[in-house]
Amino acid sequence: MDLADKFLFTALLIVAAAIDGTQAAAMVSGTVFCNQCKDGQISLFDYPLSGTKVTITCADGNGQVTMSREETTNLFGNYVMRFDGTPDLNNCNAQVSGSAQGSNDCGATAGPAQKLRLMFRMFGMEFFGVDSLLSEPAQPMSFCPRSVNPVPPSPVTTPTRPSGPPTGSPPTFKLPPLPRLPPLPPLPPMPPLPSSEASACPHQNWTMPEYKCHWRVLNPESKVALIFGPLAARRYGSDMTLWEGLQGRGDPYKTLLREGTTALLNSYNSLQFPYNSIGVVTRMNWALMGSTRGVLITALRFIRANSGSGRVTCKLTPCK
């Protein structure tokens, strides 16, 4: 399962968990990526694009638009749309329709539209998936491979041999010297990457001022509802921040949020942490769907991982 499928699968899990009752409806979910090399496919250079507008358009047999809906991607580049009733979405397409907020470099060109695909039906609900949508910059980034946009070779002409018997020695040809390549431009600075060294830090470390610089991807003021999805919004409200979530104690659900937030920070800080970021968000939502006992079990598993299981220590260094 590649990265795009993991994003789509996680989004579908969160959407399925947020459904109330068995009212007929259709759900559409997908992900938008910044295609930095303009090669039309997702690679290691690409990343999920937040704040991007996606439009789903449906047409009849004559090509006339019958329905249109717009949504904006979240922090993980995911978008979810709900259509009440039983609409026919078999002739609908999704496409990027607006550039990302604060990411205008990647919003110059929208990639091709993608057709909606029925994934499964359950309890009167239809779940549709969309192949990853792309948004592209005006020009490929300087660090992209040179073969992304190859220049077509000039046609080769074959010299014709003169008619008649050869006279004298054949002429010799001397090739001109090849031009020297110009110096390559310097590579752009890379964004901070997780450390390859094993590290696991409890929640107390992440609240210390001297370690604030290690909040690599997340922001202390980010909303819990935005990071963990609609189930977390229902349980913790739409205004609680990650920083506030780290202070929770004395209640199974507060403990789950504290340790889940800590695990998410650790996953972004160390590649060897037992859970990756998608795994942390998925386990949080599974716990919120279940019983209080399941919440406690998931919280204890996060506590065990955040403590290093007695084998790994916290490798955070004070910020300069």
Side-chain angles (χ1 to χ4, degrees):
M1 183 180 289
D2 60 19
L3 180 62
D5 290 335
K6 288 181 180 179
F7 275 108
L8 178 59
F9 179 71
T10 303
L12 286 174
L13 285 178
I14 296 174
V15 171
I19 298 172
D20 289 322
T22 58
Q23 181 182 3
M27 307 293 290
V28 180
S29 178
T31 308
V32 178
F33 285 86
C34 175
N35 186 215
Q36 297 194 94
C37 294
K38 293 177 69 69
D39 55 1
Q41 58 187 1
I42 299 174
S43 67
L44 293 174
F45 299 100
D46 304 330
Y47 58 89
L49 205 55
S50 63
T52 302
K53 294 181 180 179
V54 176
T55 300
I56 291 180
T57 305
C58 304
D60 56 18
N62 298 322
Q64 298 295 320
V65 176
T66 58
M67 181 170 54
S68 180
R69 183 78 62 83
E70 186 178 74
E71 188 56 79
T72 304
T73 58
N74 63 12
L75 183 65
F76 297 104
N78 297 327
Y79 60 91
V80 177
M81 299 189 195
R82 176 183 176 120
F83 297 83
D84 293 326
T86 56
D88 182 10
L89 302 182
N90 292 313
N91 196 29
C92 300
N93 295 284
Q95 188 172 26
V96 173
S97 57
S99 61
Q101 299 172 356
S103 300
N104 293 327
D105 290 344
C106 202
T109 306
Q114 299 291 351
K115 188 174 179 62
L116 273 60
R117 296 180 290 107
L118 179 63
M119 306 294 287
F120 60 90
R121 293 185 176 92
M122 182 175 65
F123 305 122
M125 296 287 299
E126 291 185 334
F127 294 85
F128 288 83
V130 183
D131 290 342
S132 298
L133 299 177
L134 303 178
S135 184
E136 301 176 343
Q139 297 295 330
M141 297 292 110
S142 59
F143 50 78
C144 292
R146 295 296 181 90
S147 60
V148 170
N149 290 316
V151 177
S154 57
V156 178
T157 58
T158 304
T160 58
R161 297 176 66 90
S163 60
T167 57
S169 60
T172 58
F173 297 93
K174 186 177 181 181
L175 296 175
L178 294 175
R180 298 187 63 180
L181 291 175
L184 296 177
L187 291 174
M190 295 294 291
L193 295 174
S195 171
S196 59
E197 185 180 17
S199 175
C201 303
H203 69 274
Q204 294 92 338
N205 292 71
W206 289 106
T207 57
M208 294 181 180
E210 59 265 34
Y211 297 141
K212 273 289 188 70
C213 62
H214 295 282
W215 287 64
R216 297 174 181 273
V217 178
L218 304 174
N219 187 296
E221 299 304 317
S222 297
K223 304 297 183 183
V224 169
L226 177 64
I227 302 302
F228 291 107
L231 282 179
R234 184 183 303 173
R235 168 61 61 178
Y236 304 108
S238 58
D239 295 327
M240 178 174 286
T241 64
L242 295 180
W243 186 260
E244 293 169 341
L246 285 176
Q247 319 301 322
R249 55 177 48 86
D251 173 85
Y253 288 93
K254 291 181 180 179
T255 302
L256 174 68
L257 178 59
R258 182 191 71 208
E259 298 302 326
T261 302
T262 304
L264 192 59
L265 288 165
N266 282 322
S267 71
Y268 282 125
N269 186 64
S270 173
L271 291 173
Q272 295 193 42
F273 190 70
Y275 304 111
N276 58 32
S277 57
I278 298 297
V280 173
V281 175
T282 302
R283 285 168 172 79
M284 275 283 296
N285 279 274
W286 277 119
L288 293 173
M289 288 171 57
S291 62
T292 304
R293 181 175 180 272
V295 168
L296 284 171
I297 291 175
T298 303
L300 288 174
R301 287 173 177 169
F302 283 150
I303 291 175
R304 179 183 175 89
N306 294 330
S307 65
S309 302
R311 298 187 300 270
V312 179
T313 59
C314 181
K315 302 297 194 307
L316 295 181
T317 55
C319 305
K320 296 180 179 180

